[in-house]
Amino acid sequence: STQTFTYDNSKPASVATYPSDDAFFSTAPLRIAGTALDDIAGGVSLVKVYIWEDRNNNNIKNEGGGPTDDRWWNGSTWTTTETDIGVNASPDAGSPQLWEVTTNLPLANHLTNWAGVNTRRYRIYTRARDSATNDEDITSPPADVSFRYDNVPPSMGTVLPVAAYYNGLPTLSGTAQDSLNVSTVQVRIYSFSNNDYWTGAGWGGASTEWKQAVGSTNTSVQVTWTYNSPADWTTGGSQFTVEARGFDYAGNTTTLAGITFNYDNNRPTSTVTYPSANDLRFSSMTTLFGRALDPGTTSQSSGIKTVKIKIKRSQDNYFWNPTGGGGSGAFDTTSDPGFTLSPTVNLYTTSATWSYTHAEFSNSNAWLPSGQTFYIYTQTEDNSRYTDYSSMTLTELTTSTRTFIFDNVAP
């Protein structure tokens, strides 16, 4: 009779291919898979799998058992000495041979979210054995794939919008931060007026219209994200809600509570109501009165923020200076002071009244000598903001002007 045998002293090789290297999981991996190869086709009989908690991320096995030393999963618990997971993978007959294990793996409660300690990883390495009982050498460091466990979602913050009213908002922005990374931020914009969402090109979208913002990081450093706003907010009405949600590489997500704001691009107006018409004659003028209006509905109108006035004497083009004339007040400068006089105003209403007086008005000294004409100029601004610049509010384009003649000389 004749017997044949194959002499095989070559060692097989194996590698884990799932998870992919440096993967992130928000739950425990449900399987580990890979390939094995031997000189003899289909010659690998088993693959041992090791899960190593490399606490120092240095690919050096530390088996001291101390708080910073490494641990290995033995199929039911972590141990301080190197061991496999306690169940072998059985490769198929292909070339290379495919293998997979789905049992004896750690559950989520066996894994640790290192809370921002980026250096710690779980490493998976393998050791194959062929039919001739040749065992694969485990190199130092071993050929491995690593993963990190992260079950904590990123935190989100908003930079813009933060105010109740805007007259211009070309960019939405905010912050995102995670213990390990931020993979992406998405933004959703809702129009109350249209009852729909921004699609990136226009209004009319459904609630699934989350748009990609710019901003991500591979570290725990806070990242600022931005999104270019609709070019014309007015096509969406006057009231909007902006939401943002952030994802990390493990798939954890946090949705920022919606920020609602109103869009007000209607310029306010102001006028003088007393004197009630131009060129009226007065023998006394103790107080000037007027009105300011911020047009639009409640959601469109941010309300009156300030009213400013200036007064000029026409004969010599001198402007009123409330501290001129040695402090008592006088028309004493030809240099236009701008709108610096502050009347008393009911602020923060869509329709406000204002008044302005001075001690020199009451005794008529300011208006003397008789027969002169005076110009009253008014200007108002509303409470809307342009991006994050609180000073860039909307002011009226054309200032209101009213004239009167002071005449206290009897005919």
Side-chain angles (χ1 to χ4, degrees), residues 106-126:
L107 302 176
N109 61 304
H110 299 129
L111 302 176
T112 301
N113 184 327
W114 292 111
V117 182
N118 293 336
T119 58
R120 299 186 178 184
R121 284 172 169 78
Y122 294 97
R123 298 185 182 276
I124 300 170
Y125 59 97
T126 59

Side-chain angles (χ1 to χ4, degrees), residues 167-202:
N167 58 65
L169 191 60
T171 303
L172 306 176
S173 64
T175 60
Q177 189 169 22
D178 185 64
S179 59
L180 292 171
N181 50 61
V182 176
S183 63
T184 186
V185 174
Q186 296 175 339
V187 173
R188 183 170 66 177
I189 308 172
Y190 173 70
S191 164
F192 282 89
S193 304
N194 294 354
N195 191 28
D196 58 20
Y197 293 83
W198 178 249
T199 67

